[in-house]
Amino acid sequence: MAPLLVVGLALCLSGTWAVDKGNFKTCEQSAFCKRQRALKPGESPYRALLETMELTNTRLTLQLINDNNKVRLLLELYRLQGNITRVKINELKPLKPRYEVPDVLIREPTTEPLSVLSQDENGVVLSLGVESQRVIISARPFRLDIMEGSDVLMSLNSRGLLAFEHLRMRKDTFSYKVTSTVASVWDNIKRVFSSQADPEAEKKEEADPANQAETTKEEEEKVEDGMWEETFKSHTDSKPNGPSAVSLDFSLPGVEHVYGIPEHADTLRLKTTDNGDPYRLYNLDVFQYELYNPMALYGSVPVMVAHSAQRTTGIFWLNAAETWVDISSNTAGKTVFGKMLDYVQGSSETPQTDVRWISESGIIDVFIMLGPTPKDVFSQYASLTGTQSFPPLASLGYHQCRWNYNDQEDVKSVDAGFDEHDIPYDFIWLDIEHTDGKRYFTWDPHKFATPKEMLQGLMDKKRKMVAIVDPHIKVDSNYKIHNEIRTLGFYVKNKDGGDYEGWCWPGSASYPDFTRADMRAWWASMFAYDQYEGTMENLYTWNDMNEPSVFNGPEVTMHKDAMHGSWEHRDIHNLYGLYVQMATAEGLIQRSGGVERPFVLTRAFFAGSQRIGAVWTGDNAAEWDHLKISIPMCLSMGLVGISFCGADIGGFFKSPSTELLVRWYQAGAYQPFYRAHAHLDTPRREPWLFGPENTALIREAVRQRYTFLPYWYQLFYRAHVTGEPVMRPLWVEYPQDLATFALEDEYLIGRDLLVHPVVEEGARGVTAYLPGKDEVWFDVHTFQKHNGAQNLYIPVTMSSIPVFQRGGSIIPRKLRVRRSSTCMEHDPYTLYVALNLQRTADGELYIDDGHTFNYEKKEFIYRKLTFANKVLSSVNLAPDAKFTTDSWIERIIVLGASKPSKVTLKTADGQEKQLEFDFDASMSVLTVRKPGMNAGADWTVTFQ
């Protein structure tokens, strides 16, 4: 009966394949959000006690006092290396420790000295050491402004919305009456001796931080529903620690565009929230999510990027509890005409965006990244949480998945189908049905009786497999994994101290406490070949349902009063998925003796997840709007460090039309993670099942992906080194071009490829904006040249994928497409040189073994390719690196060229030879054939 009950629960959650919004809270239904949002902008009750200020080489500390309840807070201010300012606010003397997020920062950030420029009774001015940057702390009310010259870059608490609910003892009616009586008697005694009382001593006693844990009479009278207990639907949250929310507002003068805080199925540019719910960050299992909505989804990265033509900044709110983000703007709702009218009339109102972060528990720990450029912000964030993990090259190829491939014969048949239809792929995936009764780390003994034989068959073709391992563990005394976790005491506990149990795919399940380092180490050890029987080195892992998903839990997740050691689940919720993926990736690394790079896909994520692997946008649907939304969703993730992002090709729920499926394959070919996936109840949709014409269109899209793999791989290496997103909005490269700020139907791959997928049903044309008044762009299919700074109408057919290469760039490609990326390892390169006569053309070529960590030992080739003064050259960017390749340069295609009289190759040893070439005068395309030099060598090619 258990599996039937689980299916029933799942169907109830999914309804008619549309999200049941009633399963998930609104701000009004979330007690702390409702309570905090009821606070209106105004004068803050918080005052800075300047006499408590202490300044050391590493930080400034300062006490704040809430004049309403006399509770004191401790403000810590740090100037960090790389133009970052950190602000921490905690209770000065909390009743018990408050949660501070571990394991997200890659190291304790390096501090730089602060210095006091001036101080009086109203505030203090500190130098940030960068040009004319300084921090102004105002005392009454407390406010913090970061300035550069005369410009305010960002203000904290300028709207007076700082709130910090201190921990306190809960008092029942009896204890309250007794306390009130005692207090009344004590007040009378004080009045009797008032003539002898010291007014200053009385003040000091009132403000004594040692007394701040006690709930005052005034606060007792203000106790609201949901502060000490909260019910949603049939679930009660016991809230043993009472109210503990924190909140702070940020004002961004001159800013109209903010981005980030994924994951939401919404526009790239974040909307104002004045007339609806704030954006919610709370990892949840949401079936077929609703679009253009601030509802929480599977992952949460509390990072916002603000951009204007003058500057880019970022806010990283390091808190793993449920969080809501309100956004308002003084220009929201104004039409273009209205803004023009303001300009004509000389309106002096400066555009400003105000942001307010509200979290249920923890402390305020915020990193303010001051840019000033987009790439500076990416670097600053990477210095805190790390860069994108460097994926195995094969994982950038195509992935074939569905829930579920039935058995080994089914896998073998699908694998053969790709060969029969000449479509390359690298990974085939198995969902939950491959296991023995949803017991992870096992195989169905009937359907997958000989998994090593299956894996060896794939390995013989240089292909790989991914199998799912979810974090809910079937409660079954005959299941080794469950017995060991229970014996070791590694399960999350319920509020009463027993093992937490909920319902998920296996039926009754418990959940390992991945916040424990010893639990993660044990989990990693389970991926060893002698533990996870039937596995081989070409089997990789997928972590789904790791929000965590609990079918019968509140909001389909874990109860907030469940316990992880001494911490409530409410404190760590958004970290859970990161920890699951972290432990899994470590297991894949350990099983190889630390040699092989892992590939682990996760659905839930947090800040820092980029260090571990890939994410996808979850349970989407076979609808055109879901295809469209995949672009801003992945762009948003890239802006906050997570480059390895993709959406289920064709949509997970429902069945796509052939047109939608083809267009999705075409769009997905130009997104970082390229995987088709489908629900158990949908018809099969392997690429060859829709007729020869559509098979040919899909084949061409997938083959285009494979020709660009050298470029994708080089960009992921750059992302790994610098933190720059692989897939990026146009404004990242054209930060002063206002026309790019809200674009979300086209994007850049790296700096040099512009993609405008066709995402409208029945489209006969698209209009692409080509940025840069001094730029030229070349259609990668036709080589036609177009000037920048224009909206270009492009007629399209079903075979069209509008992609443009920037003039002034060199992109290496491999045109010999084989059955998998590994089969192409030693194949030659074709260099595409797109000229812009106003500048030098350049590009990079990166080569390593494609799968190990040996690149960390300098075992790679990294070349700078340059075309200047009619000379194309390859120069070593890493002279101390050692690696060799059998690949060579078999072709050079120069776009925007003039016809040379001769083309001469000169190798590093001084030898010269004349090269054959063809010139197409109608398109100004020069093709140099068979130059033949090794891809890792120094050489020059001169065009005379």
Side-chain angles (χ1 to χ4, degrees):
M1 281 296 291
L4 290 175
L5 286 170
V6 172
V7 170
L9 274 167
L11 288 174
C12 288
L13 292 171
S14 59
T16 56
W17 282 359
V19 64
D20 181 355
K21 294 170 69 173
N23 282 325
F24 306 103
K25 290 181 181 179
T26 63
C27 180
E28 186 72 14
Q29 294 168 313
S30 177
F32 81 92
C33 183
K34 178 182 180 181
R35 194 163 62 243
Q36 293 300 321
R37 216 181 188 202
L39 299 177
K40 299 303 179 186
E43 186 164 306
S44 174
Y46 288 94
R47 173 166 51 93
L49 301 174
L50 297 179
E51 66 276 13
T52 66
M53 187 179 78
E54 295 181 10
L55 183 63
T56 69
N57 283 334
T58 59
R59 66 173 184 167
L60 174 143
T61 60
L62 180 68
Q63 291 179 28
L64 309 178
I65 188 168
N66 183 329
D67 282 328
N68 291 342
N69 60 20
K70 308 307 177 187
V71 172
R72 292 195 185 196
L73 306 178
L74 180 66
L75 167 76
E76 299 174 67
L77 180 69
Y78 301 83
R79 172 187 163 206
L80 303 183
Q81 195 174 73
N83 206 16
I84 305 169
T85 299
R86 183 181 192 179
V87 178
K88 291 179 73 173
I89 302 176
N90 197 353
E91 294 183 54
L92 180 63
K93 293 186 177 180
L95 192 64
K96 59 187 288 189
R98 298 180 68 116
Y99 190 71
E100 299 188 38
V101 176
D103 302 318
V104 168
L105 302 179
I106 54 175
R107 66 182 68 89
E108 191 60 30
T110 303
T111 60
E112 296 182 339
L114 288 161
S115 58
V116 175
L117 297 177
S118 63
Q119 181 178 356
D120 60 22
E121 68 277 7
N122 297 314
V124 60
V125 181
L126 302 153
S127 171
L128 285 177
V130 180
E131 296 179 357
S132 55
Q133 282 185 7
R134 59 198 186 282
V135 173
I136 301 175
I137 300 175
S138 302
R140 187 191 293 267
F142 164 69
R143 170 175 170 152
L144 191 151
D145 294 282
I146 300 176
M147 301 191 67
E148 184 171 278
S150 59
D151 297 325
V152 178
L153 303 182
M154 194 178 300
S155 299
L156 283 63
N157 202 36
S158 61
R159 301 171 72 221
L161 293 173
L162 167 63
F164 207 104
E165 294 181 334
H166 64 285
L167 300 179
R168 66 204 79 174
M169 298 295 294
R170 185 174 187 177
K171 304 192 176 188
D172 58 27
T173 305
F174 174 76
S175 65
Y176 170 69
K177 287 179 179 177
V178 170
T179 303
S180 298
T181 302
V182 172
S184 178
V185 170
W186 179 241
D187 285 345
N188 288 334
I189 292 171
K190 283 200 291 187
R191 273 195 291 272
V192 169
F193 294 99
S194 60
S195 60
Q196 302 171 26
D198 177 0
E200 288 303 313
E202 196 171 310
K203 270 189 197 174
K204 288 175 185 174
E205 181 184 352
E206 181 186 47
D208 184 357
N211 298 325
Q212 70 182 50
E214 293 298 321
T215 306
T216 67
K217 180 177 178 180
E218 290 76 15
E219 285 179 304
E220 287 287 357
E221 292 167 351
K222 292 178 184 175
V223 169
E224 301 172 20
D225 288 345
M227 289 178 70
W228 291 94
E229 185 176 275
E230 182 174 358
T231 299
F232 178 67
K233 302 187 82 168
S234 62
H235 302 283
T236 299
D237 176 6
S238 63
K239 295 195 175 179
N241 294 317
S244 58
V246 297
S247 170
L248 184 59
D249 63 278
F250 300 76
S251 294
L252 306 166
V255 170
E256 294 183 81
H257 295 78
V258 290
Y259 311 87
I261 57 169
E263 180 177 33
H264 300 97
D266 208 351
T267 53
L268 174 63
R269 178 194 180 187
L270 297 171
K271 299 170 182 171
T272 56
T273 59
D274 297 327
N275 298 316
D277 261 8
Y279 284 96
R280 191 183 188 198
L281 296 173
Y282 190 60
N283 296 359
L284 293 173
D285 179 0
V286 183
F287 281 68
Q288 195 190 328
Y289 43 82
E290 188 173 296
L291 304 186
Y292 304 106
N293 192 298
M295 285 177 64
L297 287 180
Y298 313 96
S300 302
V301 183
V303 175
M304 181 179 288
V305 178
H307 179 70
S308 70
Q310 288 71 44
R311 192 178 198 99
T312 309
T313 57
I315 299 171
F316 173 27
W317 177 267
L318 183 53
N319 189 301
E322 179 185 346
T323 297
W324 299 77
V325 185
D326 253 326
I327 301 170
S328 59
S329 169
N330 63 0
T331 57
K334 284 191 178 180
T335 63
V336 173
F337 176 77
K339 293 179 182 180
M340 288 175 62
L341 191 63
D342 286 347
Y343 177 77
V344 171
Q345 294 176 345
S347 172
S348 60
E349 185 177 35
T350 301
Q352 178 168 303
T353 296
D354 296 307
V355 179
R356 186 187 183 197
W357 301 75
I358 306 169
S359 292
E360 184 175 16
S361 63
I363 69 166
I364 293 172
D365 190 0
V366 62
F367 297 83
I368 299 164
M369 299 168 285
L370 295 172
T373 70
K375 292 181 182 179
D376 288 330
V377 171
F378 303 146
S379 175
Q380 288 156 1
Y381 180 62
S383 75
L384 298 171
T385 66
T387 60
Q388 175 66 55
S389 62
F390 191 22
L393 174 59
S395 66
L396 300 178
Y398 173 66
H399 300 250
Q400 181 66 34
C401 183
R402 78 171 277 110
W403 175 23
N404 202 90
Y405 286 117
N406 299 322
D407 50 32
Q408 288 181 213
E409 281 304 309
D410 198 5
V411 169
K412 189 174 181 180
S413 173
V414 172
D415 175 69
F418 278 90
D419 293 334
E420 180 184 343
H421 296 92
D422 195 25
I423 301 173
Y425 89 96
D426 271 270
F427 285 81
I428 190 166
W429 292 51
L430 296 179
D431 210 316
I432 55 177
E433 310 302 331
H434 84 278
T435 62
D436 180 8
K438 314 298 189 300
R439 298 170 181 86
Y440 303 108
F441 299 99
T442 70
W443 303 87
D444 185 297
H446 307 293
K447 297 178 180 180
F448 294 91
T450 55
K452 281 192 175 181
E453 179 182 312
M454 173 181 63
L455 289 165
Q456 187 61 53
L458 293 170
M459 187 178 286
D460 291 342
K461 293 184 177 182
K462 299 188 176 180
R463 287 174 174 154
K464 299 167 177 63
M465 174 173 275
V466 172
I468 198 166
V469 177
D470 286 349
H472 48 261
I473 302 301
K474 184 178 179 68
V475 176
D476 176 0
S477 60
N478 295 316
Y479 179 24
K480 180 187 81 167
I481 298 291
H482 165 68
N483 288 337
E484 290 198 27
I485 297 175
R486 183 180 58 184
T487 300
L488 291 166
F490 283 167
Y491 278 130
V492 176
K493 306 302 180 185
N494 60 36
K495 65 184 176 64
D496 300 316
D499 289 346
Y500 179 90
E501 288 189 25
W503 281 79
C504 209
W505 295 124
S508 184
S510 285
Y511 293 76
D513 186 355
F514 285 93
T515 67
R516 297 178 56 156
D518 51 359
M519 167 59 216
R520 296 197 299 273
W522 178 88
W523 181 268
S525 73
M526 290 299 100
F527 289 89
Y529 297 124
D530 61 349
Q531 294 289 336
Y532 190 172
E533 294 180 8
T535 62
M536 293 174 57
E537 57 266 35
N538 64 330
L539 181 70
Y540 296 81
T541 309
W542 167 22
N543 294 145
D544 197 1
M545 316 295 286
N546 55 336
E547 293 75 24
S549 179
V550 183
F551 288 162
N552 62 336
E555 299 193 90
V556 202
T557 193
M558 189 172 284
H559 292 73
K560 288 181 175 178
D561 54 9
M563 297 300 294
H564 301 259
S566 60
W567 299 109
E568 286 190 286
H569 185 72
R570 85 180 70 251
D571 297 312
I572 68 93
H573 176 84
N574 287 341
L575 280 175
Y576 191 84
L578 176 145
Y579 277 132
V580 175
Q581 189 188 22
M582 181 188 295
T584 301
E586 185 57 34
L588 298 190
I589 294 169
Q590 287 181 11
R591 74 177 187 182
S592 73
V595 173
E596 297 290 329
R597 288 178 245 165
F599 171 76
V600 181
L601 180 73
T602 183
R603 190 169 72 176
F605 52 87
F606 189 66
S609 289
Q610 71 273 8
R611 303 194 299 263
I612 306 168
V615 304
W616 92 106
T617 61
D619 296 342
N620 60 0
E623 298 173 0
W624 286 94
D625 281 347
H626 276 261
L627 168 57
K628 293 175 196 172
I629 207 75
S630 70
I631 299 173
M633 288 182 77
C634 280
L635 287 173
S636 295
M637 289 195 214
L639 289 174
V640 299
I642 301 176
S643 274
F644 207 176
C645 169
D648 288 344
I649 304 300
F652 178 67
F653 288 113
K654 304 184 180 180
S655 298
S657 66
T658 53
E659 181 189 4
L660 175 57
L661 184 65
V662 168
R663 289 301 191 198
W664 215 319
Y665 267 100
Q666 292 171 341
Y670 290 91
Q671 292 180 4
F673 177 54
Y674 192 25
R675 182 186 74 152
H677 187 37
H679 189 276
L680 183 72
D681 294 333
T682 62
R684 295 289 283 257
R685 60 167 90 141
E686 282 72 43
W688 50 86
L689 296 179
F690 299 86
E693 184 178 339
N694 291 305
T695 300
L697 292 170
I698 293 171
R699 178 192 301 117
E700 174 57 24
V702 177
R703 289 173 69 87
Q704 282 186 36
R705 170 60 167 230
Y706 277 76
T707 67
F708 277 107
L709 282 180
Y711 184 61
W712 282 106
Y713 196 53
Q714 177 256 317
L715 288 174
F716 268 93
Y717 177 72
R718 289 274 303 169
H720 180 60
V721 172
T722 68
E724 294 174 12
V726 170
M727 176 181 174
R728 59 189 71 161
L730 271 64
W731 59 259
V732 169
E733 296 296 334
Y734 301 91
Q736 295 181 313
D737 187 346
L738 272 62
T740 67
F741 289 7
L743 280 181
E744 62 179 26
D745 57 356
E746 63 182 86
Y747 53 91
L748 292 166
I749 302 171
R751 179 191 62 174
D752 297 330
L753 275 188
L754 186 151
V755 184
H756 192 303
V758 181
V759 295
E760 296 284 350
E761 185 175 14
R764 295 186 178 182
V766 299
T767 299
Y769 179 69
L770 303 181
K773 62 182 176 62
D774 297 322
E775 300 282 21
V776 292
W777 296 89
F778 294 88
D779 186 311
V780 300
H781 310 296
T782 67
F783 302 149
Q784 187 168 350
K785 177 180 174 182
H786 303 279
N787 292 324
Q790 67 158 317
N791 288 298
L792 178 70
Y793 180 77
I794 308 157
V796 298
T797 65
M798 278 306 299
S799 64
S800 302
I801 315 176
V803 182
F804 301 87
Q805 181 175 344
R806 188 183 63 86
S809 68
I810 303 173
I811 293 180
R813 296 170 64 180
K814 286 191 173 184
L815 302 186
R816 301 187 187 186
V817 176
R818 304 184 190 272
R819 65 160 61 107
S820 73
S821 63
T822 307
C823 293
M824 299 166 61
E825 179 181 2
H826 302 297
D827 283 348
Y829 293 89
T830 294
L831 303 181
Y832 284 79
V833 182
L835 298 184
N836 181 336
L837 299 180
Q838 298 188 43
R839 65 168 67 99
T840 298
D842 59 21
E844 295 175 353
L845 175 61
Y846 177 86
I847 307 170
D848 63 16
D849 63 26
H851 58 95
T852 75
F853 285 105
N854 289 346
Y855 71 91
E856 294 180 345
K857 305 174 186 175
K858 295 286 187 178
E859 294 183 19
F860 59 80
I861 293 166
Y862 194 24
R863 312 288 306 178
K864 176 79 167 182
L865 305 170
T866 306
F867 188 102
N869 301 319
K870 298 186 178 181
V871 176
L872 175 65
S873 62
S874 174
V875 177
N876 195 351
L877 281 175
D880 57 339
K882 304 294 180 186
F883 191 74
T884 58
T885 180
D886 293 333
S887 297
W888 69 99
I889 310 299
E890 72 168 344
R891 189 181 298 107
I892 300 167
I893 298 176
V894 185
L895 312 181
S898 54
K899 184 177 181 179
S901 57
K902 63 178 180 178
V903 178
T904 306
L905 167 67
K906 184 176 182 179
T907 56
D909 58 7
Q911 294 188 23
E912 295 187 7
K913 74 170 181 177
Q914 301 299 307
L915 301 178
E916 298 177 5
F917 65 88
D918 296 323
F919 182 70
D920 181 345
S922 65
M923 297 301 296
S924 299
V925 175
L926 174 68
T927 303
V928 180
R929 304 191 182 281
K930 301 179 182 178
M933 55 281 203
N934 185 276
D938 289 344
W939 48 262
T940 60
V941 175
T942 303
F943 300 82
Q944 295 175 309

